[in-house]
Amino acid sequence: MTTFLKPPDIRRATVDDLAEVLRLERSVPEAPHWGESVYRDILLQEPVSTLQRALFVAVDHGQLAGFAVATVVVDQAELESIAVDPVQRRLGVGRALSEAVMLWAREAGAREILLEVRSANAGARALYGRLGFQETGLRRGYYFDPSDDAVLMSVSLSAAADL
Ligand SMILES: CC(C)(COP(=O)(O)OP(=O)(O)OC[C@H]1O[C@@H](n2cnc3c(N)ncnc32)[C@H](O)[C@@H]1OP(=O)(O)O)[C@@H](O)C(=O)NCCC(=O)NCCS
């Protein structure tokens, strides 16, 4: 198993990361599956004051270990997608990516960050719980193939002082 001697290197993605991000996304069934143009738009968009979107990558020894996508609309952020390479899990990559997203979102003006997660996704729910997210609601039957409920979660970014 890979062991990080230091936290993974987290940075904003560039167009050069796209092929690896897509490869990882397609190998992770729980991640939302988007076309390449969606990622390309995130990287190439001009930020406007009311909407900002970011793609972060975690890199270990030059290899993509994970990625995350988030959006800030005015004062609310959403963690839209996060995925870690299955062989790199439980090493702190997901946590480091999430914390980078939370810092970025706070600096972009968000006061809270929201997300939705399959109720059956115990690993992701555990990660979010460790990061201080609280469950705020349930959307019954929100997911299909396989069908599942969506658990809504949020955390106040002003309270996350130790980021
Ligand atoms: C969810 C996911 C991003 C977590 O990434 P990760 O790099 O393994 O997470 P971390 O190592 O940073 O975990 C931090 C903490 O979260 C909790 N956690 C993470 N995965 C867990 C799991 N499978 N089971 C229980 N707790 C888990 C633990 O408390 C963990 O700390 P510990 O390892 O010291 O116990 C990863 O499992 C993944 O890519 N899953 C598939 C995609 C997905 O489900 N995305 C979310 C869709 S909403």
Side-chain angles (χ1 to χ4, degrees):
M1 182 193 282
T2 309
T3 305
F4 288 116
L5 298 176
K6 63 178 182 58
D9 180 20
I10 310 289
R11 60 169 171 77
R12 294 287 286 269
T14 71
V15 172
D16 291 341
D17 297 308
L18 270 188
E20 282 300 290
V21 167
L22 280 165
R23 183 198 56 74
L24 176 56
E25 186 228 74
R26 271 144 208 187
S27 72
V28 176
E30 302 93 333
H33 292 158
W34 300 331
E36 180 179 350
S37 62
V38 174
Y39 294 100
R40 203 168 274 280
D41 287 351
I42 294 169
L43 296 180
L44 300 179
Q45 72 167 15
E46 290 295 326
V48 292
S49 58
T50 53
L51 188 153
Q52 299 173 66
R53 210 166 178 206
L55 169 59
F56 288 89
V57 287
V59 179
D60 175 49
H61 296 95
Q63 301 292 313
L64 184 74
F67 70 88
V69 177
T71 300
V72 170
V73 179
V74 190
D75 59 354
Q76 249 183 4
E78 182 182 357
L79 178 59
E80 298 179 80
S81 179
I82 182 166
V84 172
D85 187 326
V87 302
Q88 303 265 30
R89 290 188 187 159
R90 299 306 291 268
L91 298 170
V93 177
R95 184 183 190 105
L97 277 166
S98 304
E99 288 178 348
V101 162
M102 291 162 81
L103 259 179
W104 167 78
R106 189 165 65 185
E107 282 164 14
R111 291 189 300 144
E112 62 175 345
I113 183 158
L114 318 174
L115 60 83
E116 58 210 24
V117 56
R118 282 180 177 270
S119 70
N121 192 341
R125 289 176 69 178
L127 168 66
Y128 303 140
R130 282 285 293 270
L131 289 162
F133 281 80
Q134 306 280 330
E135 296 187 5
T136 56
L138 191 72
R139 285 186 180 157
R140 293 195 187 282
Y142 183 75
Y143 294 108
F144 53 92
D145 201 16
S147 89
D148 200 354
D149 300 332
V151 178
L152 310 182
M153 303 185 81
S154 72
V155 66
S156 162
L157 292 173
S158 50
D162 54 345
L163 281 175

